[in-house]
Every structure is written in structure tokens, then in C-alpha cells.
Amino acid sequence: MNTETNLNARQQSIVTIAAFTASGDIEKLKPALTEGLEAGLSINEIKEVLVQMYAYTGFPRALNGMAAFMSVVKDRKANGIKDVEGKEASPVPADFNKDEYGAKVRAKLAGLDKDISGAEWQRFSPIMDTFLKKHLFADIFVRDVLTEEERELATIAALANMSGTEGQLFFHYGAAMNSGLTKEQMNNFIEVLDSKVDNKQAQSAKEVLTGVLAKRNQ
């Protein structure tokens, strides 16, 4: 059972990298990327955070973030700093069933025994459901460069630093805790947002978290 109360340095760096990628603040993103490398994140782990971001912030923000990261890595290399490349994602089996895997991951993150089915939005746009299940929760989540816990931490950081995403943030707070993060770490997440990202966004994210925790305690 996870009893951690605070996010470690690596986790805090995932928060700031994802948050500033989402907001498109490259001037703040670059030092956050440097801090991430110095906190022990590998090059490939940070790349994977940025890849995760395109599913939640769109390709423009994610590509801008990747360009910023390329610049940071090049500058550090030019200054004689050798960063750890890190592992690549493991090969996916030829018979990988995206539908089955994605359904299992989504159900787990939602805290359900089986995947959601037949919701109004799924009937209204079946292709959206297909993309979410087969691409996001299968193609992306199967990549083992990051853990599900780390992916959800990046996701809530991005959503918390965007506008109009409270509904998605509500779901992903739950998903983050269902993947292993503790209530105490979620409260510390708010503190990290407040001290390192943006006070206003942190207050908004705290309000959503309060609602999530109240529901989970019912």
C-alpha cells in the first residue's frame, strides 16, 4: 500500500513540465525541463511526458514542448553535460488487442470492474470512444517508459493549467489515485502547482480536488 505523502523531485518535475507544456509557456518550460533532468528523469522519460501531452493539449503545444526540450538537451550537451538517455518502450506483441487492453486500462483508471459502455456520448460519437480506448489507453498507455501513475500525474498537471477542463480534471484526479497516488500526494500536487506554476490555477485545481475527495469518502 502506498503511504507516500509528498511527491518526490522526479514527480514534481513531471508536474511542472506537463503544466508549462499545456500553457505553452516555453520560457518557464525550459528551466522545468532542466530541473527534470537534474532530478533524475531520463531524456526518454521526458520525451514520453511530452508525447503524453499531445493527447490532452494537442499537437501544437506538445510539438512546441518537444522543440524546447531538443534545445535544452543540445545546450547541455554543448556544455559537457551528459544526460541519461534512458530505456526505449518495449516492443508491442504482434497480436496486441488494442480494444481489450484499452478497455481494461480505462476501467482500472475509472475504478470500475469493467469498462464503461453505452454512455450517451459513446452512442453520439462512437469513433471518439474508439480513439480514446484503442489509441490513448492502448497505443499510448502500453508504452512502458512511464508508469500509469506517472502518466496520470502528467495529465492532471496539464489539465489543471488549462481552462475549461474541470470535468476531465475531476475524472483524472480519480484515475491518478486509482493508479497509485495517495490523497496526501494529491494535496501536495496542489502545493507544487501553487509554488511552481500558478496560484490562480492551483486554487481552481484545489476546488476540483475537494469535490473528488468528498465523493471518494462517501
Side-chain angles (χ1 to χ4, degrees):
M1 182 178 180
N2 189 355
T3 58
E4 295 296 323
T5 58
N6 290 320
L7 300 174
N8 60 36
R10 282 170 46 92
Q11 292 170 318
Q12 290 188 32
S13 288
I14 289 174
V15 170
T16 54
I17 289 168
F20 291 133
T21 299
S23 63
D25 193 335
I26 302 301
E27 292 308 306
K28 290 182 179 178
L29 175 59
K30 285 186 174 181
L33 291 163
T34 297
E35 288 177 8
L37 290 168
E38 293 178 351
L41 289 171
S42 70
I43 290 174
N44 284 339
E45 285 172 330
I46 293 178
K47 284 182 185 177
E48 200 70 22
V49 170
L50 297 171
V51 169
Q52 174 86 5
M53 289 299 92
Y54 96 76
Y56 293 97
T57 70
F59 270 117
R61 295 291 198 212
L63 287 171
N64 288 346
M66 195 68 77
F69 188 40
M70 287 172 60
S71 175
V72 167
V73 171
K74 286 180 181 178
D75 287 347
R76 286 169 65 85
K77 186 175 182 180
N79 288 320
I81 301 172
K82 187 175 181 179
D83 293 304
V84 176
E85 194 74 25
K87 72 172 185 177
E88 299 280 352
S90 300
V92 176
D95 61 350
F96 178 56
N97 188 321
K98 295 182 183 181
D99 188 79
E100 183 179 296
Y101 187 92
K104 182 178 180 180
V105 169
R106 185 165 64 179
K108 175 186 174 183
L109 295 177
L112 301 173
D113 293 329
K114 60 181 181 179
D115 192 35
I116 54 176
S117 176
E120 184 178 2
W121 70 268
Q122 291 173 310
R123 298 194 303 272
F124 186 72
S125 179
I127 192 61
M128 180 75 81
D129 185 45
T130 296
F131 286 159
L132 281 169
K133 186 165 53 176
K134 291 187 175 182
H135 180 51
L136 173 56
F137 293 117
D139 286 333
I140 297 178
F141 267 73
V142 76
R143 293 173 56 82
D144 57 0
V145 178
L146 296 176
T147 65
E148 290 180 1
E149 183 178 298
E150 290 167 335
R151 289 189 182 282
E152 284 303 316
L153 185 59
T155 299
I156 61 173
L159 294 172
N161 206 30
M162 297 167 67
S163 299
T165 53
E166 291 81 6
Q168 291 82 5
L169 180 58
F170 191 98
F171 172 84
H172 283 283
Y173 271 139
M177 286 184 277
N178 290 337
S179 68
L181 291 165
T182 66
K183 178 180 72 173
E184 291 77 16
Q185 285 175 314
M186 290 294 90
N187 286 319
N188 184 229
F189 165 76
I190 299 298
E191 295 171 351
V192 173
L193 281 181
D194 185 46
S195 63
K196 297 188 176 184
V197 179
D198 183 270
N199 174 262
K200 184 178 178 181
Q201 296 297 88
Q203 290 305 309
S204 177
K206 183 177 181 179
E207 291 177 10
V208 178
L209 179 60
T210 298
V212 172
L213 295 177
K215 184 176 180 180
R216 290 174 75 90
N217 288 332
Q218 288 178 352

